[in-house]
Amino acid sequence: LDLPEWEMMTACEKKIKQIFGAVYPELASTTYQNLLDKGVDTVKTHINGKYPGIDLKWNQIMVYCKDLSAHKKDPTVLDVLTLAQVIDRILKKWDEKFSAHFENDTAWKPKLELIKEIRNPLAHAQTEYVSKEKLAQCIRYCEEVIRMGTD
């Protein structure tokens, strides 16, 4: 892969969210319209019961869904979770749900932390706050994530 840094980060974020959505499929299938139709409290109770310990911020999800719905038809709960939120939950449930998705290699934990750390400065064109070494390392890790499951 030889993608510009932001494209690499975006592709990596999509892959990480794809993995997260495979473990928590209802987050990928529960849309903003579902939240409006069924009522956020009903959906919240169902998802929190099905996925204990996931600790979603439902008020924030509703605001982000509403905002994103102006640009994307019927966004899902997964669509509006930030990469930082997704990675935090992956790390929280690492042994129980995610290590197998990352080849049972605990070396992925600090790699995911670095991807999370670099994402916002990269997204907001503030790479001057990130060392060139960390950025290069992050991009290598992103490439590894993107290639996962494709060999």
Side-chain angles (χ1 to χ4, degrees), residues 4-141:
E5 294 161 344
W6 178 240
E7 287 181 40
M8 181 72 74
M9 179 61 78
T10 301
C12 177
E13 184 170 347
K14 286 179 182 178
K15 183 73 171 217
I16 291 171
K17 282 188 168 188
Q18 178 185 20
I19 292 167
F20 192 76
V23 173
Y24 297 114
E26 287 197 37
L27 301 182
S29 64
T30 301
T31 65
Y32 180 47
Q33 194 60 51
N34 296 141
L35 295 170
L36 295 175
D37 291 346
K38 296 178 184 176
V40 69
D41 288 335
T42 301
V43 175
K44 172 183 165 181
T45 300
H46 171 74
I47 288 177
N48 288 347
K50 186 167 184 168
Y51 306 132
I54 196 165
D55 302 322
L56 297 175
K57 295 177 174 94
W58 288 99
N59 290 337
Q60 182 185 59
I61 287 169
M62 289 300 290
V63 169
Y64 287 3
C65 276
K66 182 179 179 184
D67 290 347
L68 186 56
S69 70
H71 308 288
K72 179 180 181 176
K73 186 178 186 319
D74 217 10
T76 68
V77 171
L78 183 57
D79 288 335
V80 299
L81 292 178
T82 67
L83 182 61
Q85 291 169 326
V86 169
I87 289 176
D88 285 344
R89 282 156 182 84
I90 287 172
L91 295 175
K92 183 178 177 183
K93 298 286 190 173
W94 181 261
D95 292 326
E96 181 185 343
K97 297 190 179 280
F98 289 99
S99 65
H101 292 276
F102 294 88
E103 303 164 348
N104 295 310
D105 183 357
T106 57
W108 270 106
K109 290 172 140 183
K111 290 178 181 183
L112 291 171
E113 285 284 1
L114 182 63
I115 291 169
K116 179 179 89 169
E117 176 188 333
I118 302 299
R119 194 264 181 210
N120 281 348
L122 191 58
H124 299 287
Q126 296 176 333
T127 54
E128 65 270 18
Y129 299 109
V130 178
S131 72
K132 289 182 180 185
E133 294 80 18
K134 273 190 168 182
L135 181 59
Q137 195 174 25
C138 177
I139 296 305
R140 272 195 316 276
Y141 297 160

